[in-house]
Amino acid sequence: MQRITQKAYAKINIGLDVLRRREDGYHEVRMIMQTVDICDNLILERTAKSGILILTDKEELPVNQDNLIYKAADLLMKEKNITEGVSITLTKRIPIAAGMAGGSSDAAATMRGLNQLFELGYSTEELQKLGVRLGADIPYCIVGGTMLSEGIGEILNPLPTPPACHLVVAKPDINVSTKFVYENLHADSLTCHPDIDGMIEALRTGNLQGITDRLGNVLETVTVREYPILEEIKELMRQEGAANALMSGSGPTVFGIYTNRELAEQAAQAIEQKGMAKQVFVTTFRNDI
Ligand code: ATP
């Protein structure tokens, strides 16, 4: 095989709880991850010249070893002593530094793609074990879908797919550092935790209202306090017919869940017209990647 295309899908968290800060500085989480139908495209091609070449349509992204695509390719190629080279062309659609695991998903797609391109023979579990070295979200991004994610994010258990619905995903023009959010989270003194078990039960019974009633993300206590616009967007999403709205990951992306496509489209328009976010998508959950 000379060339392969891979899609890298974004995720949102419909529930995100932090249980405690571990001694090593990592946080123990309990999250419900969900793939959404927004994706980057990667074309991976074998090259006679050795090395990893990254090409992208987004000027602000690094194309050197700081890119997670590079790190993922370098890891696999060193593990298997590949002396040939690879060029990887990234078309970016997932908002950057948004709480949607865009970089992790690109890294996961790179690992899946190289595994096929060079016939490396890794199982999914082996790719996940390697991937966690580069980032806690990568094992999830290798498989996607609806998952309960625990530990630092590497312990995964599949959950039933939520009922069909429509999403408005809005990324305001704010830069949020995940590091800042976790550093300012007082994990041990949180008084309010999302009802993750109730959410799991709602997923098992296919109860969309049970899900939307339980949307919760403890990281909002840091990011929304810092950027009140996020609460304003969530409020507008609800006024425009969302069953509920939430911030994804450490933010600043927020999403609203709608049972009606037209309402979702109107809400997206209202957010754009008010200039509250530049990157706004109307999309759906996605369960095969
Ligand atoms: P998470 O939800 O896992 O916290 P995120 O959506 O907040 O991820 P990313 O889009 O993955 O954040 O990117 C965070 C940083 O990583 C960016 O500032 C960017 O410069 C760097 N980065 C490295 N490689 C990539 C990549 N392939 N795509 C996006 N960002 C990348």
Side-chain angles (χ1 to χ4, degrees):
M1 194 185 286
Q2 195 56 35
R3 183 180 196 266
I4 190 169
T5 299
Q6 284 283 311
K7 288 200 155 76
Y9 285 93
K11 63 85 184 162
I12 56 172
N13 302 96
I14 55 176
L16 195 162
D17 198 8
V18 177
L19 306 183
R20 68 181 185 102
R21 188 173 189 276
R22 305 193 323 186
E23 292 68 39
D24 61 8
Y26 280 101
H27 286 81
E28 202 171 300
V29 294
R30 202 155 182 253
M31 318 189 274
I32 300 181
M33 319 284 276
Q34 174 63 54
T35 305
V36 297
D37 202 4
I38 300 171
C39 66
D40 294 345
N41 196 62
L42 286 86
I43 302 169
L44 302 97
E45 277 179 293
R46 293 165 89 131
T47 55
K49 190 170 177 290
S50 65
I52 301 160
L53 176 69
I54 298 178
L55 305 161
T56 174
D57 56 344
K58 280 280 177 294
E59 262 173 34
E60 64 266 42
L61 282 182
V63 288
N64 58 11
Q65 56 271 27
D66 291 335
N67 197 307
L68 275 161
I69 292 175
Y70 189 101
K71 290 186 179 160
D74 193 47
L75 176 63
L76 285 201
M77 290 168 77
K78 283 203 173 122
E79 284 284 318
K80 292 283 186 181
N81 296 315
I82 308 272
T83 50
E84 262 178 85
V86 65
S87 84
I88 304 174
T89 307
L90 168 71
T91 308
K92 192 90 197 156
R93 271 195 86 222
I94 304 174
I96 297 168
M100 300 188 80
S104 302
S105 190
D106 289 348
T110 300
M111 295 179 81
R112 289 194 310 261
L114 290 183
N115 195 30
Q116 289 186 47
L117 190 66
F118 290 111
E119 295 171 23
L120 303 179
Y122 283 120
S123 67
T124 301
E125 292 72 27
E126 286 169 335
L127 284 184
Q128 289 176 314
K129 277 212 179 98
L130 282 170
V132 75
R133 292 196 210 160
L134 303 177
D137 281 346
I138 295 179
Y140 164 74
C141 291
I142 287 173
V143 288
T146 314
M147 290 273 175
L148 176 64
S149 160
E150 294 173 293
I152 61 162
E154 84 292 12
I155 305 170
L156 298 170
N157 278 294
L159 293 170
T161 305
C165 58
H166 303 277
L167 303 167
V168 175
V169 173
K171 153 80 173 48
D173 211 4
I174 298 168
N175 289 317
V176 175
S177 137
T178 304
K179 193 163 169 272
F180 169 87
V181 175
Y182 274 99
E183 277 174 4
N184 286 278
L185 177 78
H186 304 294
D188 300 324
S189 51
L190 287 169
T191 50
C192 203
H193 290 273
D195 178 12
I196 301 283
D197 290 325
M199 173 85 79
I200 293 170
E201 191 47 34
L203 285 164
R204 293 207 195 290
T205 54
N207 172 6
L208 186 61
Q209 195 190 331
I211 295 168
T212 55
D213 283 351
R214 289 180 177 81
L215 294 184
N217 177 351
V218 292
L219 301 182
E220 284 191 341
T221 57
V222 182
T223 317
V224 176
R225 200 190 318 124
E226 191 79 8
Y227 302 105
I229 179 79
L230 303 186
E231 195 53 53
E232 289 168 31
I233 301 174
K234 286 171 59 187
E235 196 42 49
L236 180 63
M237 285 174 165
R238 291 191 199 102
Q239 278 166 18
E240 295 285 332
N244 205 351
L246 190 72
M247 183 179 85
S248 179
S250 52
T253 297
V254 292
F255 62 91
I257 298 183
Y258 296 78
T259 50
N260 178 307
R261 181 87 185 181
E262 266 174 29
L263 284 182
E265 276 164 6
Q266 282 169 23
Q269 253 180 26
I271 293 165
E272 278 171 344
Q273 274 164 9
K274 287 186 194 291
M276 290 169 128
K278 278 196 191 141
Q279 290 170 284
V280 185
F281 305 79
V282 179
T283 186
T284 54
F285 294 145
R286 180 167 183 116
N287 274 76
D288 57 318
I289 66 162

